[in-house]
Amino acid sequence: MNAHCTHLPAFVDGELPREHHEGFRAHLASCEACGVRFHDLLQADILGRLAIAKAAPASDAPAASPVPWPVPSEPAEVLVPPPRAAPRRWRPHWSHLGTLALALAAVGTWAARVSRDAPTPWPSPETSRPLEARLTSGALDEHRPYAPMRGGASPTARLPLRELARMEEQQDWRGIASAYLLSGDARQALSYLGNAPASPDVDSDRAVALALGHPGTSEQTLLDKALAVLEDVLRKRPDHPQALWNLALVLRNLELPLLAADAFDAVAKLGEPGWSVEARDHARELRERTQARGRAWRQAFAATQDLMADPTARLPLEEATQWPGIVRLAFYDALRAAPSKDAALRLLPLAEALDRAYGGGTVLHATVTRVAARDFQKRGPLARDYARFVRGGSPFPAAYLAALRRSGEDDLYVGALGYELKEGRPVDVAAFARAADRLGDPWFHLIAERERAQQEVRDGQWWKAEARVLEALRTCEAERLDYRCADLHQWMTDMYLGELHRPAEAHEHALRGWRLAKNHGEWQQERTFLQELGQVARFHHVVPTASAYLRESLARMPDDSVQSGYVHRNLATLAWMDFRVDEARQHMEQALESSLPPGLNGAGVLADLARFGPMPGAADVMSRTLSGLRQAQPRPGKRALLDAIQGEFELERDPTAGRALLRSALTQAEQWPDDVNARRARARASAALISDAGRTGAFVEALTLAGRQLQVMEVPERCVLAVSVQHERTLAVARGPSGAVRGDVHPDTHGATRTGCLWTGAALGAGGAARM
């Protein structure tokens, strides 16, 4: 606090000497603490005056006073900035409302202009609207062009406290909230909306307040919350116009333009005057801009595809400047496939263009000259075979790989093994990494480090892998190899999610990779990171946002059956997390139409859905999926999880086989208590066995299994209660004072998403409960 801060009370009361006004106003514009206190003092003063005016006898009131209290003139010029928020990744256009202004003179003068015969909290309609979002109050939802406030301009709507007091008497909480939203005070708006009875209109306005947010809250968190509220509204009212419009804004500010365009299209179909035209314009602009970026990338990619096969193909020199990542990939393949010295030297201009794109080095120029100096009597046949195998998409024969390894043609050997790694086929990682390092190209050194890290993860040494790839990222950034940096960020995201279950770190890397891909126009990588962000959101249990990322990725390649299968099986997982069984089943049926196996999570959802009846083809898909996962030689914890999933699935088809698998999984998992997948296996197997025991009336066995799950050495002989929840099934088992055991199974159609037991010792009383 400085000397200016002490002048605030006098300034508000109109008692600060005039010669200090200019200096204090300058201070007020930059002091966060004074801005907050100024708002609070004004509110307190106004509400106090209203209370006094309301309590005073009518005969004591002035006969003709335009305002209910004296108004000092100087503070009328002051605009109060809101508290400074933490820097955001991106600011939504709809939050540019200007500063929050509550100057007494402005409020008083406005109140004097309001007609006493038709009091209203809203000023006369302007030619434009300051808020891009839509509010549900009728007078505020008349369409006007959106005109965002610029710089420090004051907001269009002021807060008339007398009218707010009248609305408070009438309990018009939504109206008060709207007034605060127009003034930019989302916190107050949320407070008043909390008093209003639940309805789609209230929730739509609440989403606006959530998206406008609070200082210090991340943009991502605000939009996540707003999206969840809006999706809930639209499940109840799919044609709710304000919610559809606000959904489009939230999706746009999450940078999901194709989904946002779909939402704007839904608004346009409602045919509302003004709103439909604006919505149609927004949809067209978002879709055209996004699809243009996709077309440009695909054209650049297509320009690289003939380099390896056609010796007269145009060199993509212009594309190398804008999309150096995919052009560099194609350059390496074309150089490997060059059957002669002249064919290699032909690529020299492309190498130089790429060197310029990456900061002006000579790495690729040197690569061309090195390859051109090789003995093509020996290299030529190997290069032609390389091109033939790559174009055919078939695995490289073992004999060919062995010949490459002996030949000393390290670039061909690394290229061939790179294709094998990409297809998930077994490779001598150590030999690959040594050959990659011998090339002297940081591009391949980074790939080698990634594969070494992958091997360390397989060996259970994740901490070494983490340190290795973080160091590789520092090298990558120094070399400006953004395409490879994005690849490493993707690897880190997958490792943090799949191995360590650390979604916060995963989100950081997914977001950085997405930014790199977007900044460099790498359409394919950008779509991949949309899926990564969807997985991160799933781990955070932010289901609407996870679904949105996945659906946006599918919208970019709607005709790709592999991508469709991937997205739908993940959407099935998300629907199951919210226990929307029919929706999960529909997505899983669509996923099964793809040739892509559903993976570990998809297999888990198949096992859960098996309790609701058989699904055509599910048994075959489950068998192939688990067989493929086991062939990858997973660690013991994951093997236990695979047995638990298979046991759950079989329990509905062959109870004896299912129980055997579940018991085996439980025994395996208990041997690896620190393994994340083993803990998941233990939870799934225990819940399924306890539920199965309850359904068959084996309550003593259920009690014993519950004790095993809770790692209780000995189940009490009397006065004990166990409760186990497995999604839609709840089992309660009690052993009374006499030692008799009784149980009850309750199928809950709403379900739960966690499994656990609750024990209560009667002698301990209510306070002695222990929860697991």
Side-chain angles (χ1 to χ4, degrees), residues 321-342:
T321 301
Q322 190 167 354
W323 295 279
I326 57 171
V327 174
R328 189 164 183 164
L329 288 173
F331 161 80
Y332 285 128
D333 254 350
L335 187 59
R336 294 175 193 128
S340 66
K341 177 179 180 178
D342 289 342

Side-chain angles (χ1 to χ4, degrees), residues 29 33 42 59 93 101 108 207 296 351 372 380 398 409 465 467 474 481 534 557 607 659 678 743 745 748:
L42 281 177
S59 58
H93 300 298
E409 304 293 346
R474 285 188 282 272
L481 300 176
M557 293 186 69
R659 289 172 193 136
V745 181
D748 180 1

Side-chain angles (χ1 to χ4, degrees), residues 670-683:
E670 289 171 338
Q671 299 174 30
W672 303 92
D674 296 328
D675 186 286
V676 171
N677 284 317
R679 291 199 294 270
R680 293 172 63 193
R682 184 166 163 266

Side-chain angles (χ1 to χ4, degrees), residues 298-336:
R298 285 190 291 271
Q299 289 167 2
F301 182 76
T304 70
Q305 295 308 290
D306 294 333
L307 284 177
M308 187 168 60
D310 184 358
T312 64
R314 176 182 72 86
L315 296 180
L317 301 180
E318 294 180 4
E319 289 84 352
T321 301
Q322 190 167 354
W323 295 279
I326 57 171
V327 174
R328 189 164 183 164
L329 288 173
F331 161 80
Y332 285 128
D333 254 350
L335 187 59
R336 294 175 193 128

Side-chain angles (χ1 to χ4, degrees), residues 572-653:
T573 302
L574 295 170
W576 175 255
M577 288 173 64
D578 271 359
F579 205 69
R580 299 193 301 273
V581 177
D582 291 341
E583 184 179 332
R585 191 180 182 93
Q586 290 168 5
H587 282 301
M588 187 55 70
E589 287 173 349
Q590 289 178 275
L592 295 183
E593 295 174 2
S594 166
S595 60
L596 188 72
L600 183 62
N601 290 327
V605 175
L606 277 176
D608 287 319
L609 292 176
R611 299 198 296 275
F612 299 88
M615 186 183 301
D620 181 57
V621 169
M622 177 69 81
S623 176
R624 287 188 287 108
T625 299
L626 295 180
S627 176
L629 291 170
R630 287 179 176 124
Q631 286 177 6
Q633 299 181 340
R635 293 201 299 274
K638 192 169 184 179
R639 289 201 300 269
L641 180 56
L642 295 176
D643 282 354
I645 290 172
Q646 185 177 5
E648 282 189 84
F649 186 80
E650 292 296 332
L651 195 61
E652 306 303 319
R653 297 168 5 110

